[in-house]
Amino acid sequence: MEFLDGSWKKEVSSWDALMGEELLNQEAILEGAIHSIRNMGDVAFVIIRKREGLFQTVFVNEEVNFSIHDLKEGMTAKVKGIVNEEERAPHGRELRIREIQVLSAPAEPLPLAIDKWKLNTSLEAKLNYRSLSLRNIQERARFKIQEALTRAFRDYLYENGFTEIHTPKIGARGAEGGANLFKLSYFHKPAVLAQSPQFYKQMMVGVFDRVFETGPVFRAEKHNTKRHLNEYTSLDFEMGYIDSFEEIMAMETGFLQYAMKLLKEDYEKELEILKVELPDASKIPAVRFDVAKELVAKKYNRQIRNPFDLEPEEEALIGQYFKEEYDADFVFVTHYPSKKRPFYAMDDPEDTRFTLSFDLLFHGLEITTGGQRIHDYNALLKKIEDRGMETEGMEQYLDTFKYGMPPHGGLGIGLERLTMQLLGEENVREACLFPRDLNRLEP
Amino acid sequence: MEFLDGSWKKEVSSWDALMGEELLNQEAILEGAIHSIRNMGDVAFVIIRKREGLFQTVFVNEEVNFSIHDLKEGMTAKVKGIVNEEERAPHGRELRIREIQVLSAPAEPLPLAIDKWKLNTSLEAKLNYRSLSLRNIQERARFKIQEALTRAFRDYLYENGFTEIHTPKIGARGAEGGANLFKLSYFHKPAVLAQSPQFYKQMMVGVFDRVFETGPVFRAEKHNTKRHLNEYTSLDFEMGYIDSFEEIMAMETGFLQYAMKLLKEDYEKELEILKVELPDASKIPAVRFDVAKELVAKKYNRQIRNPFDLEPEEEALIGQYFKEEYDADFVFVTHYPSKKRPFYAMDDPEDTRFTLSFDLLFHGLEITTGGQRIHDYNALLKKIEDRGMETEGMEQYLDTFKYGMPPHGGLGIGLERLTMQLLGEENVREACLFPRDLNRLEP
């Protein structure tokens, strides 16, 4: 009988070993894809793409018994050779080729010049050839940055006593209501895709006190803008026993600080590739919704058209205002109007036209919506009634409150928007592996 | 201007502080839900439920200026009192109540006796009242165990150079084909919910070499069994540059060992609450599909009805066989018949009726399907043609191979099944917060 014990012997040198002292001037084996070939005649540079980066290998005609024409870009290979120091190589090291074992060969040459430092092609083409365009070093680096953000979110919340949950994406009704629901037939019953895990995370606050989820949400919005996706990844948390909704903002600030630290420590290479300057999350100003509108109206000579709504241009100007006045990258805008928030939002007892809620703007774009929720059963019923809503299909959500719930609140962060703003991208599709929009359902 | 700097002062004692030396015989403040009240007349035990566990507080009539009848199970409260050592209390500590500030009160008494050690009610009732039944300490502990498994999966793969990805759940077509697809209309275009991230993770192997995703998958299967869910969480990985499909099994074995270690170290409390005995993942036997069938047929005197299929009863017997013969909790069954695997599975060059693939059985139940995939473009086209399949809608998937892909493979683990087997549950619904099955779309 054969047994697996978790170990696996590979005759391949790790990236760290290639960079270390032990293999210097020694034989090493390197695995990866042939990213580019620069043929200078008797000598050729064969650049190998690995998950850690590019590694230069050198083909010298008289040192090997095969032709450079046997190699093609897009092949994957196992390369045996001698590790040399070489100042001009990307990491100060190169491999002088002795033997190559080709693992696979492409059927056709690549349609995109992925080996250029900057991939010069349209967003449309990049998305159509997603599995190829991301082989470009800059393009793929974005998604390592995105990984760091998700990872930081989870690790920070674990540290703070949160429990991770997985809630269903198919349900009988949506949490936010409205028209932006994708509908489907679930074994002949009408069903919808989750707009957010809102109801479920609240239900689980009564169980675990603090919960989070990182997962997809679905919005059938007919917007076709640079900042909307119809499916995106939401970083959601919900916490019980809060003294004030500012406690939620403090938790988010802590997460952002943790994320910047993780990026600096573990994702330095990608920050460098993309020339990302990390924003300052050490202290984040908080301003009331109505005050923010006035500040911006005054400074930029702009008329307030609707006192209960924030237009995208106003968001951008609030971002600009706080950058100019306080050198702030982030701004919490608090006390959103009640009529702009869902029924479960807690109204401000001091002025019920507003709520104990907030958005977080990052360089002038909303990346988070959060706030305190109603936890009292009768208050919740009254709000539902006042809005002329039906409780049908919400029985189990409402039961949660009937039998007792702590004061609580939470937020949802759009992962792609956070990534987009961190990278200084113009279009949120640049920060999504496989975006879904009004026109795009593939790849 | 107000600023958030990530810190938040709370006049509340942490669980660790309550258990530590400093607060002994001192005043402390405790927040939580009133889990149960045992009223003995002049003295009452008020058990507080917190995320960390139950904490005993003691009400003594003459020491406070309120009545025990002011308190109700299901309330949430801030309790001020003196920390005492008390052998008979759950953690050797109790709080002698001085003051209570009620944070919230239920509208009605709980319909379930959640304060019983074992919640004595049907699965149906538990699922109908999910946000209440999980307030039971044993019930909720299961999902901390589940958290540990997801967490271990990610941490182990991060350590091994994997990149986390987020792939779309709405797409134009399914990866596995067949009838078990949920269909929906996506802005008047026909679309389906993802059965698995298979195509996407393969496409990303060409970019990141190693990728993983933890997310929902959707199967419109009309099974109504104890081991099927129509939406579940899949722990998926895919790795490039493999020398053999056994490398995938080695990676999974490593993950399981890591998960058992994490459980032992960080989830001891929950293991104790549920009396879980951790399985042995130190070495896992691997047996060929056809050999396994024969071994079981012989030992248990069972006729082989179909040499190309494994019935659930056979899986259970294979589990039993390896427990009896090798004291093994897990078994890899390898070389599944080609006709039982999807088109992208790599056939065994030594006998193309079988594939370089495997299932992992845990106590006789399949919890993983994995294997090596075809990486050569022309081989892939040929397999599609041989099966009489259409390539329509797969263009971008196929392009990935046309332009070169390394040898690779991967697997998908059903998180709920893994949890279920670890806990020794009879029904997979016990291991899912909000299960979706043929009849259940709520809560």
Side-chain angles (χ1 to χ4, degrees), chain B residues 229-254:
Chain B
L229 292 169
N230 294 102
E231 176 180 348
Y232 69 88
T233 299
S234 185
L235 309 179
D236 264 278
F237 76 64
E238 198 77 13
M239 54 197 281
Y241 301 96
I242 57 173
D243 296 332
S244 143
F245 79 101
E246 289 182 297
E247 207 169 332
I248 307 159
M249 289 155 54
M251 190 64 74
E252 180 166 28
T253 305

Side-chain angles (χ1 to χ4, degrees), chain B residues 193-218:
Chain B
L193 294 182
Q195 293 162 310
S196 93
Q198 185 60 36
F199 282 8
Y200 294 107
K201 61 182 187 161
Q202 285 187 267
M203 288 162 87
M204 290 302 101
V205 159
V207 172
F208 298 106
D209 296 358
R210 295 178 163 191
V211 295
F212 76 86
E213 179 166 17
T214 57
V217 296
F218 308 90

Side-chain angles (χ1 to χ4, degrees), chain B residues 4 7 50 122 165 172 174 279 416:
Chain B
L4 279 290
S7 65
K50 293 174 69 64
S122 67
I165 56 173
E416 293 81 358

Side-chain angles (χ1 to χ4, degrees), chain A residues 139-153:
Chain A
E139 295 291 320
R140 82 172 179 185
R142 295 188 187 136
F143 295 93
K144 292 301 289 186
I145 301 286
Q146 185 162 80
E147 170 187 272
L149 296 169
T150 325
R151 194 171 175 176
F153 184 77

